[in-house]
mmCIF file with all atom_site columns, all heavy atoms in Angstrom:
data_model
loop_
_atom_site.group_PDB
_atom_site.id
_atom_site.type_symbol
_atom_site.label_atom_id
_atom_site.label_alt_id
_atom_site.label_comp_id
_atom_site.label_asym_id
_atom_site.label_entity_id
_atom_site.label_seq_id
_atom_site.pdbx_PDB_ins_code
_atom_site.Cartn_x
_atom_site.Cartn_y
_atom_site.Cartn_z
_atom_site.occupancy
_atom_site.B_iso_or_equiv
_atom_site.pdbx_formal_charge
_atom_site.auth_seq_id
_atom_site.auth_comp_id
_atom_site.auth_asym_id
_atom_site.auth_atom_id
_atom_site.pdbx_PDB_model_num
ATOM 1   N N   . ALA G 1 57 ? 42.434 194.989 -42.832 1.00 92.00 ? 57 ALA G N   1
ATOM 2   C CA  . ALA G 1 57 ? 41.015 195.232 -42.638 1.00 92.00 ? 57 ALA G CA  1
ATOM 3   C C   . ALA G 1 57 ? 40.690 195.002 -41.175 1.00 92.00 ? 57 ALA G C   1
ATOM 4   O O   . ALA G 1 57 ? 39.878 195.747 -40.570 1.00 92.00 ? 57 ALA G O   1
ATOM 5   C CB  . ALA G 1 57 ? 40.268 194.381 -43.573 1.00 92.00 ? 57 ALA G CB  1
ATOM 6   N N   . ARG G 1 58 ? 41.179 193.917 -40.600 1.00 92.00 ? 58 ARG G N   1
ATOM 7   C CA  . ARG G 1 58 ? 40.856 193.731 -39.183 1.00 92.00 ? 58 ARG G CA  1
ATOM 8   C C   . ARG G 1 58 ? 41.477 194.659 -38.210 1.00 92.00 ? 58 ARG G C   1
ATOM 9   O O   . ARG G 1 58 ? 40.893 195.085 -37.278 1.00 92.00 ? 58 ARG G O   1
ATOM 10  C CB  . ARG G 1 58 ? 41.363 192.236 -38.794 1.00 92.00 ? 58 ARG G CB  1
ATOM 11  C CG  . ARG G 1 58 ? 40.505 191.085 -39.356 1.00 92.00 ? 58 ARG G CG  1
ATOM 12  C CD  . ARG G 1 58 ? 40.925 189.832 -38.747 1.00 92.00 ? 58 ARG G CD  1
ATOM 13  N NE  . ARG G 1 58 ? 42.232 189.368 -39.056 1.00 92.00 ? 58 ARG G NE  1
ATOM 14  C CZ  . ARG G 1 58 ? 42.666 188.710 -40.149 1.00 92.00 ? 58 ARG G CZ  1
ATOM 15  N NH1 . ARG G 1 58 ? 41.713 188.373 -41.078 1.00 92.00 ? 58 ARG G NH1 1
ATOM 16  N NH2 . ARG G 1 58 ? 43.816 188.360 -40.417 1.00 92.00 ? 58 ARG G NH2 1
ATOM 17  N N   . ALA G 1 59 ? 42.749 195.154 -38.511 1.00 91.00 ? 59 ALA G N   1
ATOM 18  C CA  . ALA G 1 59 ? 43.397 196.099 -37.622 1.00 91.00 ? 59 ALA G CA  1
ATOM 19  C C   . ALA G 1 59 ? 43.035 197.546 -37.832 1.00 91.00 ? 59 ALA G C   1
ATOM 20  O O   . ALA G 1 59 ? 42.871 198.327 -36.904 1.00 91.00 ? 59 ALA G O   1
ATOM 21  C CB  . ALA G 1 59 ? 44.916 195.962 -37.792 1.00 91.00 ? 59 ALA G CB  1
ATOM 22  N N   . HIS G 1 60 ? 42.761 197.908 -39.009 1.00 90.00 ? 60 HIS G N   1
ATOM 23  C CA  . HIS G 1 60 ? 42.519 199.394 -39.387 1.00 90.00 ? 60 HIS G CA  1
ATOM 24  C C   . HIS G 1 60 ? 41.118 199.661 -39.924 1.00 90.00 ? 60 HIS G C   1
ATOM 25  O O   . HIS G 1 60 ? 40.792 200.802 -40.147 1.00 90.00 ? 60 HIS G O   1
ATOM 26  C CB  . HIS G 1 60 ? 43.629 199.845 -40.357 1.00 90.00 ? 60 HIS G CB  1
ATOM 27  C CG  . HIS G 1 60 ? 44.965 199.717 -39.908 1.00 90.00 ? 60 HIS G CG  1
ATOM 28  N ND1 . HIS G 1 60 ? 45.515 200.448 -38.858 1.00 90.00 ? 60 HIS G ND1 1
ATOM 29  C CD2 . HIS G 1 60 ? 45.918 198.806 -40.247 1.00 90.00 ? 60 HIS G CD2 1
ATOM 30  C CE1 . HIS G 1 60 ? 46.821 200.022 -38.605 1.00 90.00 ? 60 HIS G CE1 1
ATOM 31  N NE2 . HIS G 1 60 ? 47.027 198.984 -39.389 1.00 90.00 ? 60 HIS G NE2 1
ATOM 32  N N   . GLY G 1 61 ? 40.364 198.633 -40.261 1.00 91.00 ? 61 GLY G N   1
ATOM 33  C CA  . GLY G 1 61 ? 39.046 198.849 -40.838 1.00 91.00 ? 61 GLY G CA  1
ATOM 34  C C   . GLY G 1 61 ? 39.190 199.201 -42.316 1.00 91.00 ? 61 GLY G C   1
ATOM 35  O O   . GLY G 1 61 ? 38.178 199.814 -42.801 1.00 91.00 ? 61 GLY G O   1
ATOM 36  N N   . THR G 1 62 ? 40.239 198.904 -43.010 1.00 89.00 ? 62 THR G N   1
ATOM 37  C CA  . THR G 1 62 ? 40.302 199.222 -44.397 1.00 89.00 ? 62 THR G CA  1
ATOM 38  C C   . THR G 1 62 ? 39.346 198.335 -45.176 1.00 89.00 ? 62 THR G C   1
ATOM 39  O O   . THR G 1 62 ? 38.996 197.254 -44.747 1.00 89.00 ? 62 THR G O   1
ATOM 40  C CB  . THR G 1 62 ? 41.747 198.984 -44.923 1.00 89.00 ? 62 THR G CB  1
ATOM 41  O OG1 . THR G 1 62 ? 42.201 197.725 -44.684 1.00 89.00 ? 62 THR G OG1 1
ATOM 42  C CG2 . THR G 1 62 ? 42.689 200.003 -44.287 1.00 89.00 ? 62 THR G CG2 1
ATOM 43  N N   . ASP G 1 63 ? 39.088 198.746 -46.306 1.00 92.00 ? 63 ASP G N   1
ATOM 44  C CA  . ASP G 1 63 ? 38.161 197.948 -47.287 1.00 92.00 ? 63 ASP G CA  1
ATOM 45  C C   . ASP G 1 63 ? 38.811 196.837 -47.977 1.00 92.00 ? 63 ASP G C   1
ATOM 46  O O   . ASP G 1 63 ? 39.645 197.116 -48.858 1.00 92.00 ? 63 ASP G O   1
ATOM 47  C CB  . ASP G 1 63 ? 37.507 199.029 -48.270 1.00 92.00 ? 63 ASP G CB  1
ATOM 48  C CG  . ASP G 1 63 ? 36.476 198.293 -49.132 1.00 92.00 ? 63 ASP G CG  1
ATOM 49  O OD1 . ASP G 1 63 ? 35.885 197.332 -48.700 1.00 92.00 ? 63 ASP G OD1 1
ATOM 50  O OD2 . ASP G 1 63 ? 36.289 198.794 -50.297 1.00 92.00 ? 63 ASP G OD2 1
ATOM 51  N N   . PRO G 1 64 ? 38.478 195.546 -47.761 1.00 94.00 ? 64 PRO G N   1
ATOM 52  C CA  . PRO G 1 64 ? 39.105 194.483 -48.444 1.00 94.00 ? 64 PRO G CA  1
ATOM 53  C C   . PRO G 1 64 ? 38.874 194.504 -49.955 1.00 94.00 ? 64 PRO G C   1
ATOM 54  O O   . PRO G 1 64 ? 39.752 194.097 -50.734 1.00 94.00 ? 64 PRO G O   1
ATOM 55  C CB  . PRO G 1 64 ? 38.525 193.245 -47.820 1.00 94.00 ? 64 PRO G CB  1
ATOM 56  C CG  . PRO G 1 64 ? 37.850 193.666 -46.568 1.00 94.00 ? 64 PRO G CG  1
ATOM 57  C CD  . PRO G 1 64 ? 37.534 195.117 -46.730 1.00 94.00 ? 64 PRO G CD  1
ATOM 58  N N   . GLN G 1 65 ? 37.743 194.992 -50.394 1.00 95.00 ? 65 GLN G N   1
ATOM 59  C CA  . GLN G 1 65 ? 37.464 195.043 -51.804 1.00 95.00 ? 65 GLN G CA  1
ATOM 60  C C   . GLN G 1 65 ? 38.382 196.014 -52.595 1.00 95.00 ? 65 GLN G C   1
ATOM 61  O O   . GLN G 1 65 ? 38.831 195.733 -53.691 1.00 95.00 ? 65 GLN G O   1
ATOM 62  C CB  . GLN G 1 65 ? 35.964 195.270 -52.043 1.00 95.00 ? 65 GLN G CB  1
ATOM 63  C CG  . GLN G 1 65 ? 35.156 194.131 -51.744 1.00 95.00 ? 65 GLN G CG  1
ATOM 64  C CD  . GLN G 1 65 ? 33.667 194.419 -51.376 1.00 95.00 ? 65 GLN G CD  1
ATOM 65  O OE1 . GLN G 1 65 ? 33.386 195.528 -51.104 1.00 95.00 ? 65 GLN G OE1 1
ATOM 66  N NE2 . GLN G 1 65 ? 32.851 193.419 -51.492 1.00 95.00 ? 65 GLN G NE2 1
ATOM 67  N N   . SER G 1 66 ? 38.616 197.164 -51.934 1.00 94.00 ? 66 SER G N   1
ATOM 68  C CA  . SER G 1 66 ? 39.516 198.100 -52.622 1.00 94.00 ? 66 SER G CA  1
ATOM 69  C C   . SER G 1 66 ? 40.946 197.447 -52.679 1.00 94.00 ? 66 SER G C   1
ATOM 70  O O   . SER G 1 66 ? 41.720 197.701 -53.600 1.00 94.00 ? 66 SER G O   1
ATOM 71  C CB  . SER G 1 66 ? 39.518 199.424 -51.962 1.00 94.00 ? 66 SER G CB  1
ATOM 72  O OG  . SER G 1 66 ? 40.022 199.419 -50.625 1.00 94.00 ? 66 SER G OG  1
ATOM 73  N N   . GLY G 1 67 ? 41.331 196.782 -51.583 1.00 94.00 ? 67 GLY G N   1
ATOM 74  C CA  . GLY G 1 67 ? 42.624 196.087 -51.555 1.00 94.00 ? 67 GLY G CA  1
ATOM 75  C C   . GLY G 1 67 ? 42.708 194.976 -52.632 1.00 94.00 ? 67 GLY G C   1
ATOM 76  O O   . GLY G 1 67 ? 43.704 194.918 -53.335 1.00 94.00 ? 67 GLY G O   1
ATOM 77  N N   . GLU G 1 68 ? 41.609 194.306 -52.855 1.00 96.00 ? 68 GLU G N   1
ATOM 78  C CA  . GLU G 1 68 ? 41.521 193.275 -53.898 1.00 96.00 ? 68 GLU G CA  1
ATOM 79  C C   . GLU G 1 68 ? 41.627 193.865 -55.290 1.00 96.00 ? 68 GLU G C   1
ATOM 80  O O   . GLU G 1 68 ? 42.339 193.390 -56.166 1.00 96.00 ? 68 GLU G O   1
ATOM 81  C CB  . GLU G 1 68 ? 40.231 192.485 -53.778 1.00 96.00 ? 68 GLU G CB  1
ATOM 82  C CG  . GLU G 1 68 ? 40.223 191.285 -54.645 1.00 96.00 ? 68 GLU G CG  1
ATOM 83  C CD  . GLU G 1 68 ? 38.999 190.407 -54.415 1.00 96.00 ? 68 GLU G CD  1
ATOM 84  O OE1 . GLU G 1 68 ? 38.177 190.798 -53.547 1.00 96.00 ? 68 GLU G OE1 1
ATOM 85  O OE2 . GLU G 1 68 ? 38.803 189.373 -55.123 1.00 96.00 ? 68 GLU G OE2 1
ATOM 86  N N   . GLN G 1 69 ? 41.066 195.019 -55.528 1.00 96.00 ? 69 GLN G N   1
ATOM 87  C CA  . GLN G 1 69 ? 41.190 195.710 -56.740 1.00 96.00 ? 69 GLN G CA  1
ATOM 88  C C   . GLN G 1 69 ? 42.665 196.187 -56.980 1.00 96.00 ? 69 GLN G C   1
ATOM 89  O O   . GLN G 1 69 ? 43.207 196.136 -58.082 1.00 96.00 ? 69 GLN G O   1
ATOM 90  C CB  . GLN G 1 69 ? 40.248 196.905 -56.871 1.00 96.00 ? 69 GLN G CB  1
ATOM 91  C CG  . GLN G 1 69 ? 38.746 196.554 -56.878 1.00 96.00 ? 69 GLN G CG  1
ATOM 92  C CD  . GLN G 1 69 ? 38.463 195.672 -58.032 1.00 96.00 ? 69 GLN G CD  1
ATOM 93  O OE1 . GLN G 1 69 ? 38.901 195.884 -59.178 1.00 96.00 ? 69 GLN G OE1 1
ATOM 94  N NE2 . GLN G 1 69 ? 37.676 194.609 -57.849 1.00 96.00 ? 69 GLN G NE2 1
ATOM 95  N N   . ALA G 1 70 ? 43.279 196.683 -55.984 1.00 96.00 ? 70 ALA G N   1
ATOM 96  C CA  . ALA G 1 70 ? 44.692 197.136 -56.035 1.00 96.00 ? 70 ALA G CA  1
ATOM 97  C C   . ALA G 1 70 ? 45.514 195.947 -56.409 1.00 96.00 ? 70 ALA G C   1
ATOM 98  O O   . ALA G 1 70 ? 46.486 196.077 -57.179 1.00 96.00 ? 70 ALA G O   1
ATOM 99  C CB  . ALA G 1 70 ? 45.125 197.788 -54.748 1.00 96.00 ? 70 ALA G CB  1
ATOM 100 N N   . ILE G 1 71 ? 45.293 194.774 -55.791 1.00 96.00 ? 71 ILE G N   1
ATOM 101 C CA  . ILE G 1 71 ? 46.151 193.545 -56.048 1.00 96.00 ? 71 ILE G CA  1
ATOM 102 C C   . ILE G 1 71 ? 45.958 193.155 -57.500 1.00 96.00 ? 71 ILE G C   1
ATOM 103 O O   . ILE G 1 71 ? 46.922 192.789 -58.152 1.00 96.00 ? 71 ILE G O   1
ATOM 104 C CB  . ILE G 1 71 ? 45.706 192.437 -55.121 1.00 96.00 ? 71 ILE G CB  1
ATOM 105 C CG1 . ILE G 1 71 ? 46.207 192.750 -53.660 1.00 96.00 ? 71 ILE G CG1 1
ATOM 106 C CG2 . ILE G 1 71 ? 46.232 191.121 -55.567 1.00 96.00 ? 71 ILE G CG2 1
ATOM 107 C CD1 . ILE G 1 71 ? 45.595 191.837 -52.692 1.00 96.00 ? 71 ILE G CD1 1
ATOM 108 N N   . LYS G 1 72 ? 44.714 193.209 -58.048 1.00 97.00 ? 72 LYS G N   1
ATOM 109 C CA  . LYS G 1 72 ? 44.481 192.848 -59.442 1.00 97.00 ? 72 LYS G CA  1
ATOM 110 C C   . LYS G 1 72 ? 45.353 193.776 -60.366 1.00 97.00 ? 72 LYS G C   1
ATOM 111 O O   . LYS G 1 72 ? 46.025 193.254 -61.334 1.00 97.00 ? 72 LYS G O   1
ATOM 112 C CB  . LYS G 1 72 ? 43.040 192.985 -59.842 1.00 97.00 ? 72 LYS G CB  1
ATOM 113 C CG  . LYS G 1 72 ? 42.209 191.839 -59.373 1.00 97.00 ? 72 LYS G CG  1
ATOM 114 C CD  . LYS G 1 72 ? 40.751 192.021 -59.787 1.00 97.00 ? 72 LYS G CD  1
ATOM 115 C CE  . LYS G 1 72 ? 39.906 190.913 -59.265 1.00 97.00 ? 72 LYS G CE  1
ATOM 116 N NZ  . LYS G 1 72 ? 38.523 191.114 -59.591 1.00 97.00 ? 72 LYS G NZ  1
ATOM 117 N N   . ALA G 1 73 ? 45.374 195.039 -60.071 1.00 97.00 ? 73 ALA G N   1
ATOM 118 C CA  . ALA G 1 73 ? 46.116 195.973 -60.822 1.00 97.00 ? 73 ALA G CA  1
ATOM 119 C C   . ALA G 1 73 ? 47.631 195.749 -60.726 1.00 97.00 ? 73 ALA G C   1
ATOM 120 O O   . ALA G 1 73 ? 48.445 195.740 -61.715 1.00 97.00 ? 73 ALA G O   1
ATOM 121 C CB  . ALA G 1 73 ? 45.820 197.408 -60.448 1.00 97.00 ? 73 ALA G CB  1
ATOM 122 N N   . ILE G 1 74 ? 48.160 195.441 -59.513 1.00 97.00 ? 74 ILE G N   1
ATOM 123 C CA  . ILE G 1 74 ? 49.597 195.107 -59.324 1.00 97.00 ? 74 ILE G CA  1
ATOM 124 C C   . ILE G 1 74 ? 49.930 193.874 -60.068 1.00 97.00 ? 74 ILE G C   1
ATOM 125 O O   . ILE G 1 74 ? 51.014 193.825 -60.674 1.00 97.00 ? 74 ILE G O   1
ATOM 126 C CB  . ILE G 1 74 ? 49.848 195.035 -57.777 1.00 97.00 ? 74 ILE G CB  1
ATOM 127 C CG1 . ILE G 1 74 ? 49.664 196.343 -57.131 1.00 97.00 ? 74 ILE G CG1 1
ATOM 128 C CG2 . ILE G 1 74 ? 51.252 194.453 -57.518 1.00 97.00 ? 74 ILE G CG2 1
ATOM 129 C CD1 . ILE G 1 74 ? 49.561 196.229 -55.601 1.00 97.00 ? 74 ILE G CD1 1
ATOM 130 N N   . ILE G 1 75 ? 49.120 192.797 -59.991 1.00 97.00 ? 75 ILE G N   1
ATOM 131 C CA  . ILE G 1 75 ? 49.487 191.524 -60.669 1.00 97.00 ? 75 ILE G CA  1
ATOM 132 C C   . ILE G 1 75 ? 49.577 191.769 -62.142 1.00 97.00 ? 75 ILE G C   1
ATOM 133 O O   . ILE G 1 75 ? 50.449 191.363 -62.826 1.00 97.00 ? 75 ILE G O   1
ATOM 134 C CB  . ILE G 1 75 ? 48.383 190.460 -60.338 1.00 97.00 ? 75 ILE G CB  1
ATOM 135 C CG1 . ILE G 1 75 ? 48.391 190.087 -58.851 1.00 97.00 ? 75 ILE G CG1 1
ATOM 136 C CG2 . ILE G 1 75 ? 48.622 189.181 -61.186 1.00 97.00 ? 75 ILE G CG2 1
ATOM 137 C CD1 . ILE G 1 75 ? 49.589 189.283 -58.299 1.00 97.00 ? 75 ILE G CD1 1
ATOM 138 N N   . ALA G 1 76 ? 48.586 192.523 -62.689 1.00 97.00 ? 76 ALA G N   1
ATOM 139 C CA  . ALA G 1 76 ? 48.583 192.817 -64.111 1.00 97.00 ? 76 ALA G CA  1
ATOM 140 C C   . ALA G 1 76 ? 49.831 193.603 -64.517 1.00 97.00 ? 76 ALA G C   1
ATOM 141 O O   . ALA G 1 76 ? 50.441 193.299 -65.580 1.00 97.00 ? 76 ALA G O   1
ATOM 142 C CB  . ALA G 1 76 ? 47.307 193.649 -64.467 1.00 97.00 ? 76 ALA G CB  1
ATOM 143 N N   . LYS G 1 77 ? 50.212 194.599 -63.749 1.00 97.00 ? 77 LYS G N   1
ATOM 144 C CA  . LYS G 1 77 ? 51.379 195.404 -63.979 1.00 97.00 ? 77 LYS G CA  1
ATOM 145 C C   . LYS G 1 77 ? 52.675 194.561 -63.955 1.00 97.00 ? 77 LYS G C   1
ATOM 146 O O   . LYS G 1 77 ? 53.511 194.655 -64.833 1.00 97.00 ? 77 LYS G O   1
ATOM 147 C CB  . LYS G 1 77 ? 51.467 196.543 -63.013 1.00 97.00 ? 77 LYS G CB  1
ATOM 148 C CG  . LYS G 1 77 ? 52.611 197.524 -63.147 1.00 97.00 ? 77 LYS G CG  1
ATOM 149 C CD  . LYS G 1 77 ? 52.535 198.570 -62.113 1.00 97.00 ? 77 LYS G CD  1
ATOM 150 C CE  . LYS G 1 77 ? 53.666 199.555 -62.184 1.00 97.00 ? 77 LYS G CE  1
ATOM 151 N NZ  . LYS G 1 77 ? 53.590 200.570 -61.141 1.00 97.00 ? 77 LYS G NZ  1
#
Side-chain angles (χ1 to χ4, degrees):
R58 285 191 296 273
H60 303 290
T62 55
D63 181 27
Q65 287 157 339
S66 65
E68 190 173 356
Q69 293 302 318
I71 291 170
K72 282 182 185 177
I74 291 165
I75 297 289
K77 182 179 177 181

